[in-house]
Amino acid sequence: MAVDPETARTIVGIIGNVISFFLFLSPVPTFYKIWTEKSVQHFKPDPYIVTVLNCLMWVFYGMPFVHPDSLLVVTINGIGVFIEIAYVTIFFLYSNDWPKRRKILVTLLVEAVFMVVIILITTLCLHGTKDRSMLVGLLCIVLNILMYGSPLTVMKRVIKTKSVKYMPFYLSLANFANGIVWSIYALIKFDAYVLIPNGLGSISGLVQLALYASYYKTTNWDEEDTSNQSEMELQDSKGPNRA
């Protein structure tokens, strides 16, 4: 029995939601450590704060008056907003000095103002979903590309040290699968703004898997190097390419 494109797109989108949800949860061990030790230690809130804005932008992109028929984009990124805010809240609570807390508050305020400006421009100055999709979609692509900086840092470290100890295999595999699934979703009912970041994400995941295969045998698994933990955290926190 043939499956119509809309049903296939829904099924693929649901699969993408499931994969993305678990990717959003990938930093949980980091935050459990922060919670139990009552300190943010060497970890930084920046990736999570940026991800809040990224998710908010994708939620807005999926609104019917911006880009119709994108409910599954809204659902996973809406969940992502709450998860990332929870992460940022934990950072705020366990940051031991006011300057760190002030930085978090100021950055979130700037993001909120930015979102309000984009919403006002989109709804008041742009008429029709085509123009609205273009503006918000391009901003989403830019945010996603900026977030690729963290795995690039990890990959550079892998090549330099010939070690994949701090590039978790299953996370790289999940990122690759996530990019592929959302790329298929975007191709069924062509959506360039979803396809471009997730296409790049799948390529990034494939490169990570290739590096893992290349440097697995040269990895010293017993080596202790706490300086890499922040880089590993950055890769974990990037989460899915929020389609």
Side-chain angles (χ1 to χ4, degrees), residues 156-176:
K156 179 181 177 182
R157 183 73 180 184
V158 168
I159 295 171
K160 181 179 179 181
T161 62
K162 301 186 185 304
S163 171
V164 294
K165 184 176 181 180
Y166 294 99
M167 189 176 71
F169 172 77
Y170 290 108
L171 182 60
S172 297
L173 181 62
N175 273 315
F176 173 67

Side-chain angles (χ1 to χ4, degrees), residues 151 154-155 158 164 167-180 201-217 235:
V154 177
M155 286 187 277
V158 168
V164 294
M167 189 176 71
F169 172 77
Y170 290 108
L171 182 60
S172 297
L173 181 62
N175 273 315
F176 173 67
N178 185 72
I180 290 292
S202 60
I203 293 172
S204 173
L206 183 61
V207 171
Q208 290 176 50
L209 293 175
L211 288 174
Y212 198 93
S214 298
Y215 294 112
Y216 180 82
K217 290 185 178 180
Q235 180 179 332

